[in-house]
Structure formats: C-alpha cells, structure tokens
Amino acid sequence: MPEQDIAEGSFMTIQDNLAENLKNIRAKRHLTLEEASKLTGVSRSMLSAIEKGDVNPTISVIWKIANGYKVKFSSLMEDKKQTYNVVRVEDIKPLTEGDGRYVNYPVFPFDEKTLFETYRIRIDRGGHLEAKPHMPGTEEYITVFSGKVRITAGEEGADLSEGDSIHFLADMPHSYRNIGDDTVWLSMILYYRPL
C-alpha cells in the first residue's frame, strides 16, 4: 500500500482511496446515487457503502464501477496525492474472488503518464477468475513466478508455468485458472493503449 506521508508514516488504505475517488467522480459528474447505480449496474446501497468506506467490494464490483464510469480499474483505488511510493506487502489490501482462491494485490495504480497499472495475483489450488472485457485497447502482460496456470483470451488459450510470460488484448472475455497442485503467483501489468 502506498505511504501517504513517508516522513510522518500516515497511511491511506485502498478502501479509503476507493471511497474518496468514487465520491469525487460522482460529484464531478453531478450524479445521484441512483444515476450512478444505473451507469454501473451496482446497487445504490452498495455504492453508498463503498463511498463511506464501510465495505471492501469484490473485484467484480470494482470492475463494474470502472466500466460504468469508463475509467481505469486502478484509478478508482489510487492515491492521487502521491509522487513517491514505497509499497509494503503488509500494507496491501487484497481483493478476492472465487471463494477467496483468486486474490488480487493492487501494487501500482493507473498513472496517466505511463498508461499502466500493476498487480500481484495469487491463485490457490482450484481457483479461477472469469474476467469481463476491459476498456477497448487494454493489453495484459503477465509473468508466472510459481505454479501452473491456464490463461484464455477470447478463443485463444495457453498453459503457463514458472518463468513463462504472455501478452494479450484484454478487451474481450478472458480467464485465469490454476491447473496444478501448487499456488500460482504471477505479476500482471494492464496497459491502456491510447486509441
């Protein structure tokens, strides 16, 4: 998790950033909760709870919000006040799916100068994620550090092991599945190609 003020050691969590960023987006667009709900497909009560920082939403819910608002996934969680970040593993608030067997650790959020965001992903034995298409032009770059994983994008698919990497367009349905007995660890970069 990025440090808010390195000298003073104060921290903001991803949940805090998400709450603040969602409130700011909705305010800038002059949207009611009802209008935001229609745009995102997320209930008004869930959006309200997220904006208050009362809940830690699933990856799928955050993707629905990002797609509905037409913003980058990690931009919803980034700390917009920072210019220097040290990310300590113990400070990262993971996002889980698939009965907790697919865990996403957001490391560096989207940056408009670099056009990418990075994640560490853990997929436990039997874990998988069926991901919806990202924004048009989005590319994923993945390197596997341990375990065996099947990654599909559209009609294409590949089985990858430790040290293997893959790149694909992620503006179509895609999935990640642990196909081995060991936990999969991989790094993921999402690059938002300018259109």
Side-chain angles (χ1 to χ4, degrees):
M1 168 81 352
E3 293 181 342
Q4 180 66 15
D5 183 332
I6 293 171
E8 294 179 15
S10 61
F11 297 94
M12 269 190 89
T13 68
I14 287 177
Q15 191 171 339
D16 295 333
N17 292 340
L18 179 62
E20 183 177 320
N21 292 336
L22 287 181
K23 282 187 276 193
N24 289 339
I25 290 170
R26 199 165 61 77
K28 284 179 185 172
R29 295 181 184 186
H30 306 288
L31 297 172
T32 65
L33 279 170
E34 187 64 36
E35 291 166 332
S37 177
K38 286 178 184 170
L39 276 177
T40 63
V42 176
S43 73
R44 192 176 63 179
S45 61
M46 174 60 84
L47 286 172
S48 176
I50 295 169
E51 286 185 8
K52 292 176 185 172
D54 291 342
V55 298
N56 186 21
T58 65
I59 295 169
S60 296
V61 168
I62 297 171
W63 273 118
K64 284 172 106 175
I65 295 168
N67 288 333
Y69 284 157
K70 299 198 180 340
V71 297
K72 310 295 190 270
F73 178 86
S74 67
S75 72
L76 295 176
M77 297 170 284
E78 73 183 330
D79 180 351
K80 298 187 193 267
K81 300 175 196 107
Q82 242 165 329
T83 58
Y84 180 82
N85 290 330
V86 174
V87 181
R88 305 276 184 216
V89 67
E90 63 270 11
D91 296 325
I92 296 173
K93 180 114 180 167
L95 307 168
T96 61
E97 288 286 332
D99 298 328
R101 292 184 286 176
Y102 181 96
V103 184
N104 179 327
Y105 298 85
V107 181
F108 292 106
F110 176 75
D111 182 314
E112 297 205 10
K113 293 179 287 250
T114 62
L115 302 177
F116 70 85
E117 55 194 290
T118 64
Y119 303 94
R120 260 183 335 153
I121 306 293
R122 185 187 86 218
I123 310 172
D124 295 332
R125 184 178 180 182
H128 70 281
L129 178 71
E130 302 291 327
K132 295 184 189 238
H134 300 306
M135 295 169 55
T138 303
E139 301 176 30
E140 286 193 19
Y141 294 83
I142 294 173
T143 298
V144 178
F145 291 102
S146 67
K148 294 181 182 180
V149 62
R150 177 170 296 131
I151 298 177
T152 62
E155 300 297 317
E156 302 290 325
D159 293 349
L160 305 170
S161 298
E162 181 178 335
D164 293 339
S165 297
I166 189 171
H167 161 251
F168 59 90
L169 287 175
D171 56 3
M172 63 184 79
H174 50 287
S175 66
Y176 319 87
R177 180 176 299 277
N178 183 332
I179 56 172
D181 294 327
D182 298 323
T183 298
V184 171
W185 282 98
L186 56 87
S187 70
M188 177 186 295
I189 297 173
L190 269 68
Y191 172 67
Y192 298 94
R193 187 175 50 189
L195 297 177

